[in-house]
Amino acid sequence: MRIFAAIALFVLWLVLSASYNLIHITIGAIIASMISWFTPAGPLHVRRISWLAVLGYVPWLFGRILKSSFHVSRLILHPGLPIAPELIHHKTQLTSDGELVVLGNSITLTPGTITVEVAPGELVVHTIDKSSCKDLVNGLYDAKVSHLFLAKGDQ
Amino acid sequence: MTWLAISLIVIGLVFLVIGSIGILRLPDVFSRAHALSLTDSLGAIFVLLGLAVYEGFTINFLRIIVVLILVYLLNPVISHATIRAAYRSGLRPSKKENK
Amino acid sequence: MTTFFFFVLITLTLLMLVYFYRVVRGPSVFDRVLGLNGISTKAIVLLVVIGTLFERVDMFIDISTGYALLNLVGALAIAKFLEERGASEK
């Protein structure tokens, strides 16, 4: 578990420092192992995430972002400004911290919907239009996010 | 390759301009955040992707991708924090009904 | 190609002026914070464009990474402060 974090930090060091002589690589290895050793394990365990589902989720989210971006662009450029903003209370079955973070971030990243308030089991979402919150109300986001994590419930 | 980079940057600039128009036109702070999220999530991403493609597949490509992932992860956090502060201090979205 | 990047630079600067209008005029204090957030996103992109223009991308990417991280800390601090205090001052 810790060794994965150390390897990830070391790869990030290699990408960001971009100088490959012995002393820089040694410093990077020492710092990466020290950080991963002293940091307590957070609530987001690497083993609980199914990385295959993440690989499918990211392109799907990018497609959603593209689609709703065109919708919001049309709303902004429309001369009559046909927006109908409202706050909706979205009940969800997701309760763990990791799932709520991923769900809230995805909602905020998609143009047209913004997470306003987060509590376990309920999100307050501001939407700019009726049609941009359709998939959220249908529960499509919840279903996609719940597939990302293997063990649900605790943590 | 250069033309792919130019077209990606131009697409990104178009989204940035649309986001700025939204910042000027939309009526209240909640709606303006939508325009800002449009700017962040597509405009900046396309411009950075175009610059990375122009750079070619060197180490700098990977480093621009790291900046891109940072923008992608951090900007929703910032706009959510701002909007939550606005909500908790009593602002409510204006009902502008002209469908 | 230099002309094109110069054009991109000018466009980004003009867009930052649009956001600066929102910072100066914004009716509530949250509009100002939102405008600053937009300006900083543009500044991250602008730094990488400047690096490409000067052919020193390796240096400017570090600056823009640091700018992005500092911007996160500053924006979260401002949002937290405003949340505690409330928007009493218009």
Side-chain angles (χ1 to χ4, degrees):
Chain A
M1 174 57 218
R2 288 228 164 118
I3 197 79
F4 287 123
I7 290 172
L9 283 173
F10 185 58
V11 170
L12 186 66
W13 169 278
L14 285 184
V15 169
L16 280 183
S17 85
S19 56
Y20 303 112
N21 44 26
L22 187 61
I23 184 155
H24 280 99
I25 292 180
T26 316
I27 290 174
I30 291 173
I31 290 178
S33 49
M34 269 175 61
I35 290 175
S36 60
W37 184 257
F38 286 124
T39 310
L44 198 66
H45 290 289
V46 174
R47 226 176 252 155
R48 296 239 177 95
I49 303 172
S50 83
W51 292 101
L52 206 66
V54 173
L55 279 184
Y57 180 72
V58 173
W60 176 80
L61 184 66
F62 195 72
R64 297 285 326 160
I65 289 172
L66 267 180
K67 209 169 129 196
S68 59
S69 290
F70 284 117
H71 182 67
V72 174
S73 306
R74 219 189 54 234
L75 286 183
I76 288 175
L77 294 179
H78 196 279
L81 211 59
I83 61 171
E86 63 175 331
L87 289 171
I88 58 172
H89 291 254
H90 176 61
K91 295 269 192 298
T92 173
Q93 288 88 27
L94 309 176
T95 48
S96 78
D97 282 349
E99 289 165 332
L100 283 176
V101 165
V102 174
L103 181 64
N105 243 357
S106 310
I107 290 171
T108 311
L109 205 51
T110 314
T113 49
I114 280 186
T115 316
V116 177
E117 190 81 61
V118 183
E122 195 187 44
L123 296 172
V124 181
V125 180
H126 181 263
T127 65
I128 200 170
D129 200 1
K130 270 278 189 291
S131 70
S132 53
C133 67
K134 210 167 48 193
D135 283 335
L136 179 64
V137 176
N138 286 345
L140 193 59
Y141 278 88
D142 298 19
K144 286 273 183 184
V145 171
S146 69
H147 287 152
L148 292 182
F149 291 84
L150 294 178
K152 288 194 293 183
D154 58 342
Q155 289 292 346
Chain B
M1 211 45 142
T2 311
W3 287 106
L4 179 63
I6 288 181
S7 49
L8 280 176
I9 292 175
V10 167
I11 292 172
L13 280 183
V14 167
F15 276 112
L16 288 179
V17 169
I18 292 175
S20 306
I21 295 173
I23 285 284
L24 285 183
R25 280 192 74 190
L26 289 172
D28 65 339
V29 60
F30 293 93
S31 312
R32 282 182 201 128
H34 292 296
L36 194 63
S37 124
L38 179 75
T39 310
D40 288 342
S41 61
L42 272 187
I45 293 310
F46 271 119
V47 175
L48 285 177
L49 208 60
L51 290 170
V53 168
Y54 177 72
E55 202 59 36
F57 294 96
T58 55
I59 190 71
N60 283 332
F61 180 84
L62 285 179
R63 299 169 83 202
I64 295 182
I65 297 297
V66 169
V67 176
L68 196 151
I69 292 172
L70 270 183
V71 170
Y72 228 54
L73 285 182
L74 301 187
N75 267 318
V77 178
I78 297 174
S79 73
H80 163 68
T82 310
I83 291 302
R84 190 179 72 164
Y87 181 75
R88 286 200 180 162
S89 61
L91 285 183
R92 288 294 178 269
S94 65
K95 294 269 177 190
K96 182 169 178 281
E97 300 284 341
N98 51 354
K99 292 172 190 172
Chain C
M1 207 57 192
T2 312
T3 321
F4 175 69
F5 282 123
F6 199 69
F7 167 74
V8 174
L9 217 64
I10 298 292
T11 315
L12 282 174
T13 315
L14 288 180
L15 291 183
M16 282 164 94
L17 282 182
V18 172
Y19 282 83
F20 194 69
Y21 170 81
R22 182 52 67 198
V23 174
V24 173
R25 275 295 304 280
S28 76
V29 65
F30 302 105
D31 287 304
R32 297 168 208 261
V33 177
L34 220 57
L36 282 181
N37 183 14
I39 286 180
S40 59
T41 307
K42 305 266 173 319
I44 293 167
V45 178
L46 195 72
L47 280 170
V48 183
V49 174
I50 290 175
T52 313
L53 191 61
F54 289 163
E55 297 179 347
R56 283 300 308 273
V57 189
D58 46 349
M59 187 173 75
F60 278 89
I61 288 173
D62 290 341
I63 303 176
S64 95
T65 312
Y67 192 86
L69 293 173
L70 280 179
N71 169 41
L72 171 80
V73 177
L76 284 186
I78 291 175
K80 203 72 190 166
F81 170 71
L82 289 176
E83 193 177 307
E84 296 292 326
R85 195 199 64 172
S88 55
E89 183 194 16
K90 267 286 182 186

